[in-house]
Amino acid sequence: MAPFVEVCRYKPLPFSLTSLCSCPCRSTPRNSLTLPQLSEKYSNLRLLCSKPSSSHPRFNGFSVNRRVIITAVARVESEQLGDDGISKEEDERGKEVENAEEDLSLDQKKEKSRSQFKKRVVFGLGIGLSVGGVVLAGGWVFTLALAAAVLLSAREYFELVRSKGIAQGMTPPPRYLSRVCSVICALMPILTLYFGHIDIAVTSAAFVVAMALLLQRGNPRFSQLSSTMFGLFYCGYLPCFWVKLRCGLSAPVLNTGIGRSWPVLLGGQGHWTVGLVAILISFCGIIASDTFAFLGGKAFGKTPLISISPKKTWEGAVAGLVGCITITVLLSKSLSWPQPLVSTIAFGVLNFLGSVFGDLTESMIKRDAGVKDSGSLIPGHGGILDRVDSYIFTGALAYSFVRLHGV
């Protein structure tokens, strides 16, 4: 049986035969045959030749007779064909499985988004109705509810400060001091209602906190002082302007129709004060700003607004501004807001700006912290700070506007 040389199917190399035939009919005594590189598709190519001859020892074990015939036969084995067919079937089945998994994952994502949307709607309506009742009640009911929201928001803020993302670049304040600051923030609205102002209380609290940081064991850091002072201002002092607006401006609005028909048991016409009308318009303007900005960004959003929050767009911001101004004007007319149209539009612009910058400020804190939500207290919405971020700066702007216009 003739011996053969099999080309390696994994790393085929060119194989050269020199002076395979010394036939006198050849013009030159030397000819060469070079086998090219073989791909894996033809990995079973085999080279066959006749019996070796001892007359040409210079071929080192591979010699041929004078009239040798070399035949290259590409043998395609039936097993190889069977393997190729099986591999194709397996590839097709794998693709089908991958497509099915992708379809299933898409369905799961859609179902998850629907359930989240339902939760957002249900809890959003519940929160809206509860906040509306608290705002209408006013007084200590409104103040205590605001104090509870401030306490939870302050705790979420100091947890964000202590998170891994922010703590890598700074030294967070001690945990006990964070809890003390959260309690101080919750007391600020109550002190505002009781005393009418909290300038002395805020200054005293800041001094005590600064002394506690400076006298702590170890090495005090400026980052601890700055994050703590900002927390007192952001979570405690700014929300107090809502108490000043709702409970401090107690002059009745005599021209409003809903005030004349308001039940006497609930306060009668005197219940509808300048502060109540202003806070209702401001709250509804903020809600309209967030809603119109979300819908406008979904429908037309293409131009990013700022790198802090990549999902926000200029188109959504313009839609939010238009929605906020529209709702402010409509409610001012229906509630007999004693302001000209230009002042009403300016009030709507202020509410929009306070809402946007409050949202962006919290987005910056969360981005540095490396988290999506400030907490998980409200299903479908995140934490308390995620829901009240648009209201933090707006209270101070709304109160200042009303006081400057002498309403």
Side-chain angles (χ1 to χ4, degrees), residues 43-83:
S43 60
N44 55 351
L45 183 68
R46 298 179 181 179
L47 181 67
L48 303 181
C49 68
S50 62
K51 289 184 179 182
S53 175
S54 60
S55 61
H56 299 281
R58 58 190 178 94
F59 288 107
N60 297 327
F62 188 88
S63 59
V64 293
N65 293 329
R66 184 177 297 272
R67 298 181 180 276
V68 66
I69 300 175
I70 300 177
T71 306
V73 181
R75 295 182 179 179
V76 181
E77 300 176 358
S78 59
E79 295 179 358
Q80 182 70 23
L81 289 175
D83 293 341

Side-chain angles (χ1 to χ4, degrees), residues 8-265:
C8 178
R9 66 178 60 192
Y10 298 104
K11 294 182 179 179
L13 299 173
F15 186 82
S16 177
L17 298 178
T18 306
S19 300
L20 293 177
C21 180
S22 60
C23 179
C25 63
R26 300 281 183 178
S27 59
T28 58
R30 288 174 177 255
N31 288 322
S32 62
L33 174 64
T34 303
L35 297 181
Q37 289 279 355
L38 299 178
S39 61
E40 294 183 0
K41 182 177 180 181
Y42 303 102
S43 60
N44 55 351
L45 183 68
R46 298 179 181 179
L47 181 67
L48 303 181
C49 68
S50 62
K51 289 184 179 182
S53 175
S54 60
S55 61
H56 299 281
R58 58 190 178 94
F59 288 107
N60 297 327
F62 188 88
S63 59
V64 293
N65 293 329
R66 184 177 297 272
R67 298 181 180 276
V68 66
I69 300 175
I70 300 177
T71 306
V73 181
R75 295 182 179 179
V76 181
E77 300 176 358
S78 59
E79 295 179 358
Q80 182 70 23
L81 289 175
D83 293 341
D84 292 341
I86 293 174
S87 63
K88 291 180 179 179
E89 292 179 359
E90 290 179 352
D91 292 340
E92 293 177 356
R93 291 177 182 176
K95 291 180 179 179
E96 292 178 356
V97 171
E98 290 178 359
N99 293 332
E101 290 178 353
E102 290 179 357
D103 295 338
L104 183 61
S105 62
L106 290 175
D107 294 338
Q108 290 177 351
K109 289 180 179 178
K110 290 181 180 179
E111 187 66 25
K112 186 177 181 180
S113 63
R114 290 174 184 173
S115 62
Q116 287 182 348
F117 180 74
K118 290 179 181 179
K119 288 181 180 180
R120 288 179 66 90
V121 171
V122 171
F123 282 92
L125 290 175
I127 293 172
L129 294 175
S130 302
V131 171
V134 168
V135 171
L136 287 174
W140 282 103
V141 176
F142 176 79
T143 304
L144 291 176
L146 181 63
V150 166
L151 176 63
L152 296 175
S153 300
R155 291 187 62 182
E156 289 180 355
Y157 165 78
F158 284 106
E159 287 298 324
L160 290 176
V161 171
R162 298 184 62 85
S163 63
K164 184 182 296 185
I166 296 181
Q168 287 179 350
M170 57 168 283
T171 303
R175 187 174 294 276
Y176 79 91
L177 192 61
S178 300
R179 294 172 180 174
V180 171
C181 290
S182 299
V183 175
I184 293 174
C185 290
L187 292 176
M188 287 185 184
I190 299 174
L191 296 176
T192 302
L193 180 64
Y194 190 79
F195 293 107
H197 56 82
I198 55 171
D199 299 335
I200 299 176
V202 171
T203 305
S204 301
F207 176 77
V208 171
V209 170
M211 292 300 296
L213 286 172
L214 293 174
L215 297 177
Q216 66 175 328
R217 293 181 180 179
N219 296 323
R221 300 290 183 179
F222 176 73
S223 58
Q224 296 176 326
L225 182 63
S226 59
S227 61
T228 305
M229 292 297 110
F230 181 76
L232 292 175
F233 171 77
Y234 181 69
C235 299
Y237 181 72
L238 289 178
C240 293
F241 284 96
W242 290 115
V243 178
K244 292 184 177 182
L245 182 62
R246 175 62 183 93
C247 306
L249 303 180
S250 57
V253 179
L254 302 177
N255 297 325
T256 178
I258 191 172
R260 289 191 294 267
S261 60
W262 193 253
V264 178
L265 295 177

Side-chain angles (χ1 to χ4, degrees), residues 205-340:
F207 176 77
V208 171
V209 170
M211 292 300 296
L213 286 172
L214 293 174
L215 297 177
Q216 66 175 328
R217 293 181 180 179
N219 296 323
R221 300 290 183 179
F222 176 73
S223 58
Q224 296 176 326
L225 182 63
S226 59
S227 61
T228 305
M229 292 297 110
F230 181 76
L232 292 175
F233 171 77
Y234 181 69
C235 299
Y237 181 72
L238 289 178
C240 293
F241 284 96
W242 290 115
V243 178
K244 292 184 177 182
L245 182 62
R246 175 62 183 93
C247 306
L249 303 180
S250 57
V253 179
L254 302 177
N255 297 325
T256 178
I258 191 172
R260 289 191 294 267
S261 60
W262 193 253
V264 178
L265 295 177
L266 297 178
Q269 187 174 1
H271 184 76
W272 286 84
T273 61
V274 172
L276 176 58
V277 174
I279 198 173
L280 286 176
I281 294 175
S282 185
F283 273 26
C284 292
I286 294 172
I287 295 172
S289 174
D290 293 342
T291 304
F292 278 80
F294 175 77
L295 296 177
K298 279 284 188 180
F300 309 105
K302 294 182 180 179
T303 309
L305 178 63
I306 192 171
S307 60
I308 295 174
S309 185
K311 292 184 178 181
K312 290 181 174 58
T313 60
W314 279 104
E315 292 80 4
V318 172
L321 175 61
V322 173
C324 185
I325 293 175
T326 303
I327 295 299
T328 301
V329 172
L330 293 177
L331 285 178
S332 298
K333 294 297 182 183
S334 62
L335 296 176
S336 300
W337 176 257
Q339 287 290 329

